Amino acid sequence: MQATDAPLALPALQAEGVTKALHGGDTTVMAVNGVSLRIDRGEFVAITGPSGSGKSTLLYLLGALDRPTSGSVRIDGADTARMHDPELAALRNRHVGFVFQFHFLLPELTALENVVLPQLVAGVARATAQARAQELLERLELTHRAGHRPHELSGGQQQRVAIARALANRPLLLLGDEPTGNLDTGNSHKVYEWLREQNQQHGQTIVLVTHNPELAEAADRVIELVDGQLVADGAGRLAPPGGSP
């Protein structure tokens, strides 16, 4: 009997004809205008473009934080347009981790507790959640800061805790909106290098919005938006920022 080909894995993300209209008085602006793209598991993708081009809006649509005016977004094959808000919240908690320009850590919790919390929300046993949080903080060289609250951490440390929190539930996707935007060059490179390691060694699918050309060029693939439309979709070089090609 002839062997059959194994079924192809579903893409991590797929958008078809996605639009987002923003209304203000008599004016309608198409923040995202007819974007179609596919992002496979294990890709490291940068979304670039000038300010106001729709990068963050597109990212929020891809991560089901917002709903498109038209078109469809599928996460691991699931059509987000067909889901009610509680279903979307469960999908995000299960499949998507977010890292923003501002870390949004809970100020009353320690670094460790901030990474434990989303796991408890997902129903993970506390002991298991604490072990996972300790593992992530160790990999991010933050073990010695695990008991400190956000105001006791540097900006780079706060953002690394935010990344650990986003990865705590082992999401299919890690989405970042200018995650190094508030960091100095040294900390930006450290955060990037750890994300790259997460992608290469653990197969994490990562999509980052960035204004930083070095970070964008170091991605596997660069998507460029202008006026809400996808104008370029190609490969970047695989060298870390500041390193040799």
Side-chain angles (χ1 to χ4, degrees), residues 30-139:
M30 299 302 292
V32 174
N33 191 358
V35 170
S36 296
L37 58 86
R38 170 184 172 130
I39 296 172
D40 288 318
R41 285 165 164 76
E43 283 198 272
F44 193 136
V45 179
I47 300 176
T48 67
S51 296
S53 60
K55 302 184 300 298
S56 294
T57 302
L58 176 61
L59 192 76
Y60 297 164
L61 294 171
L62 295 178
L65 282 176
D66 196 5
R67 293 180 183 271
T69 303
S70 62
S72 67
V73 174
R74 293 179 180 272
I75 297 175
D76 195 31
D79 187 352
T80 61
R82 297 179 179 273
M83 296 182 177
H84 298 295
D85 288 345
E87 294 174 295
L88 279 180
L91 179 74
R92 287 193 301 268
N93 192 54
R94 188 169 64 250
H95 285 315
V96 187
F98 292 95
V99 184
F100 301 97
Q101 184 171 349
F102 301 98
H103 55 77
F104 296 120
L105 299 175
L106 294 176
E108 69 276 14
L109 300 183
T110 66
L112 182 70
E113 290 166 343
N114 266 283
V115 183
V116 166
L117 182 60
Q119 300 177 76
L120 299 182
V121 172
V124 177
R126 182 173 292 275
T128 302
Q130 288 181 333
R132 170 68 172 162
Q134 289 167 345
E135 172 200 344
L136 286 168
L137 292 178
E138 181 179 0
R139 279 161 50 190

Side-chain angles (χ1 to χ4, degrees), residues 44 216-223 232-238:
F44 193 136
E217 289 175 10
D220 296 326
R221 177 178 166 199
V222 181
I223 291 169
D233 185 350
R237 61 182 174 82
L238 299 181

Side-chain angles (χ1 to χ4, degrees), residues 194-214:
W194 194 84
L195 288 172
R196 195 45 156 154
E197 176 185 311
Q198 186 69 20
N199 168 254
Q200 292 180 330
Q201 296 185 13
H202 302 281
Q204 181 70 54
T205 307
I206 299 176
V207 183
L208 300 182
V209 164
T210 182
H211 279 102
N212 187 320
E214 284 188 297

Side-chain angles (χ1 to χ4, degrees), residues 141-203:
E141 300 178 359
L142 287 170
T143 300
H144 64 300
R145 308 298 282 173
H148 292 254
R149 289 179 171 78
H151 74 274
E152 299 173 306
L153 304 175
S154 70
Q157 290 170 340
Q158 291 170 347
Q159 196 63 308
R160 280 184 281 160
V161 174
I163 292 169
R165 179 183 59 185
L167 291 169
N169 285 329
R170 294 181 171 86
L172 171 66
L173 293 158
L174 179 66
L175 305 183
D177 189 10
E178 295 284 0
T180 64
N182 282 332
L183 304 181
D184 59 34
T185 300
N187 275 311
S188 292
H189 288 177
K190 286 180 182 178
V191 166
Y192 165 78
E193 287 165 3
W194 194 84
L195 288 172
R196 195 45 156 154
E197 176 185 311
Q198 186 69 20
N199 168 254
Q200 292 180 330
Q201 296 185 13
H202 302 281

